[in-house]
Amino acid sequence: MSLADARGDMFGTSGVRGAVGEAVTAELALSVGRALGAETGTVVVGRDPRTSGATLADALAAGLCECGTDVVDLGVAATPTVARAVPRRGADAGVVVTASHNPPTDNGLKLWDADGRAFGAADCERIAERVRADDPDLAAWDGQGTRRDRSDGGATTAHRTALVAAVDLPDPPRIVVDVGNGAGGVTAAALDEVGCRVETLNAQPDGSFPGRPSEPTADNCETLQRVVANTPADLGIAHDGDADRTMAVDAEGRFRSGDELLALFGRAAATASGVADPVVAAPLNTSLAVDDALAEVGATLARTRVGDTYVAERASDPAVVFGGEPSGAWIWPDAVPCPDGPLAACKLAELVAREGPLAAQVAAAVPDYPIRRDSVETDAKAAVMERVTAAVRDRYDDVETLDGVRVDLDDAWFLVRASGTQPLVRVTAEARDPDRADEVFDEARSLVDDAR
């Protein structure tokens, strides 16, 4: 892919992301740095351990410095560590070189504003326009920015200190943390500091992710499940490569779904908030079980487009006490306006310490509704979605097109949407009855198959 092609549709739901040497190149990173440098004075930069990260960070920093912007280089650091460092250092923006949960062949750039919030659609488009214009405002030889090496762990130490202060564990549990060879080692350090007995898996940062694939799914976390099940551990934690995601395994070694964690986190936040009518923000593909679990504590669910950026935008409303995605991105807006995987890990440890085993909490609070999810590979996802949307509008009455196309069938629902980061069309269906869930999922999947 040429740079011109990459510029055409730069930003997905989580920044720039794609295959290294094709969609993501040093030339593109340089251009993004120049574009961001045109409107900033100081930018915090960090990266996950991916093999291509150093090259892209160097190119990004060069573009920033060429335009007179000073760079605070944190080196390898978790994405939430970088996001927290932006306001703490009084910087104008931040950039993380990461592809998050994608495979090691990919990389990307995620941008943060001065408050440590991910760039929204308008901000991303502004940067993309500057890149497309290809007319950088380069500084004179004596006006270029400086690049300061702050890879001594100071930002990670500050993050760890904030995590320790955010939780109170009366009886710290035993925890196994699967870092996934990523940048989330701060989680183990924080849990150790609050008194948990911590063991780690895949704790050595390695951008080829040799221990397991980066995305913390049930299939990818089988080793964690076995270790937790066969040791005295009370909880297992799994991160992705940049530690903005957290998933969990209960003491019996069962991988808990994102909808279950969303319900538990949302209930806890709503109960502790003191807000009269607390709201939890979550995307369109969230289970009905979350609605029902929240209703028991007087909270409601506000659905957003899929993507943690959209959840974070909705979480800026004072009525929203928590925001999350079933994929593992969790946001406590009173603490930090972005997904913070290590904070989620500490909050889970606190829930277990205060409320007992995770499995028992899920059984008591979260209905078990069947939900079906699958992804269909396609290099023409926009065309597929156009045909699916047309077919759905012809066939159904209650249709929502906030993000993809969602159909409410009263006793069930389904959602078809294009992935914002991968060449996939995702299909989700749910009902309160398993046979009905299968029927609705097959119905939705056939729409996609017919549109390919």
Side-chain angles (χ1 to χ4, degrees):
M1 178 183 291
S2 69
L3 179 57
D5 290 335
R7 287 170 172 161
D9 186 19
M10 286 178 54
F11 291 93
T13 54
S14 294
V16 180
R17 191 178 298 177
V20 173
E22 297 177 15
V24 177
T25 64
E27 185 181 5
L28 181 62
L30 177 71
S31 295
V32 172
R34 287 172 167 176
L36 185 60
E39 54 187 53
T40 52
T42 303
V43 172
V44 177
V45 173
R47 60 184 177 88
D48 71 20
R50 292 168 190 270
T51 306
S52 57
T55 298
L56 294 171
D58 287 346
L60 173 76
L64 289 163
C65 291
E66 274 192 313
C67 293
T69 295
D70 292 329
V71 174
V72 179
D73 188 351
L74 302 184
V76 175
T79 285
T81 299
V82 179
R84 284 174 176 264
V86 176
R88 187 172 63 84
R89 290 188 171 274
D92 302 301
V95 183
V96 186
V97 179
T98 180
S100 191
H101 57 280
N102 281 31
T105 53
D106 291 358
N107 215 326
L109 305 167
K110 190 161 186 178
L111 280 58
W112 305 89
D113 68 16
D115 296 324
R117 192 186 310 275
F119 267 33
D123 295 323
C124 289
E125 180 55 28
R126 187 178 67 252
I127 297 301
E129 285 289 346
R130 290 186 183 277
V131 172
R132 286 192 286 267
D134 195 20
D135 185 24
D137 184 16
L138 302 180
W141 68 272
D142 57 350
Q144 300 210 348
T146 60
R147 184 179 183 182
R148 289 169 286 167
D149 184 350
R150 293 293 183 269
S151 59
D152 56 2
T156 297
T157 298
H159 190 184
R160 186 184 74 236
T161 299
L163 297 176
V164 170
V167 294
D168 179 21
L169 281 69
D171 183 17
R174 294 175 180 265
I175 301 179
V176 180
V177 179
D178 184 347
V179 186
N181 298 119
V186 63
T187 295
L191 290 172
D192 178 72
E193 190 168 334
V194 297
C196 295
R197 285 152 289 184
V198 181
E199 295 186 26
T200 58
L201 297 174
N202 304 311
Q204 182 65 35
D206 187 329
S208 64
F209 304 126
R212 63 163 171 82
S214 180
E215 188 170 8
T217 63
D219 288 343
N220 293 341
C221 293
E222 289 181 350
T223 299
L224 176 63
Q225 294 174 69
R226 287 196 299 270
V227 170
V228 174
N230 290 285
T231 65
D234 302 300
L235 178 66
I237 296 293
H239 290 315
D240 61 347
D242 67 329
D244 65 344
R245 291 188 175 188
T246 288
M247 297 302 287
V249 171
D250 67 27
E252 287 73 39
R254 290 188 293 259
F255 188 89
R256 307 312 313 200
S257 75
D259 290 304
E260 292 169 338
L261 297 182
L262 175 55
L264 293 182
F265 282 143
R267 284 169 61 98
T271 302
S273 69
V275 176
D277 298 300
V279 176
V280 172
L284 287 167
N285 58 353
T286 299
S287 170
L288 292 171
V290 179
D291 296 80
D292 293 350
L294 292 175
E296 291 184 357
V297 296
T300 57
L301 188 69
R303 284 181 164 81
T304 74
R305 295 181 64 182
V306 176
D308 61 77
T309 299
Y310 302 112
V311 175
E313 287 177 354
R314 186 68 176 84
S316 64
D317 184 329
V320 176
V321 297
F322 178 75
E325 285 201 295
S327 59
W330 315 115
I331 302 171
W332 283 265
D334 60 342
V336 61
C338 70
D340 191 329
L343 177 60
C346 291
K347 292 283 191 179
L348 271 172
E350 185 177 48
L351 275 175
V352 170
R354 291 184 171 277
E355 305 296 334
L358 189 59
Q361 293 185 57
V362 171
V366 188
D368 185 16
Y369 299 151
I371 190 165
R372 310 289 186 249
R373 291 187 171 104
D374 199 7
S375 297
V376 181
E377 291 190 16
T378 174
D379 292 327
K381 58 186 179 182
V384 169
M385 284 305 307
E386 184 177 348
R387 290 190 285 270
V388 168
T389 302
V392 164
R393 288 189 183 280
D394 287 343
R395 192 176 304 180
Y396 303 97
D397 295 325
D398 196 344
V399 177
E400 170 63 67
T401 57
L402 175 65
D403 186 9
V405 57
R406 187 180 191 274
V407 176
D408 191 332
L409 300 169
D410 292 331
D411 63 336
W413 61 270
F414 71 79
L415 172 68
V416 180
R417 63 175 293 274
S419 169
T421 59
Q422 295 171 285
L424 302 171
V425 170
R426 303 193 188 279
V427 183
T428 308
E430 184 184 34
R432 290 182 172 88
D433 173 76
D435 291 338
R436 179 60 171 153
D438 291 338
E439 177 186 344
V440 173
F441 176 80
D442 290 343
E443 191 175 331
R445 177 60 192 260
S446 69
L447 286 168
V448 176
D449 290 340
D450 291 344
R452 293 175 68 189

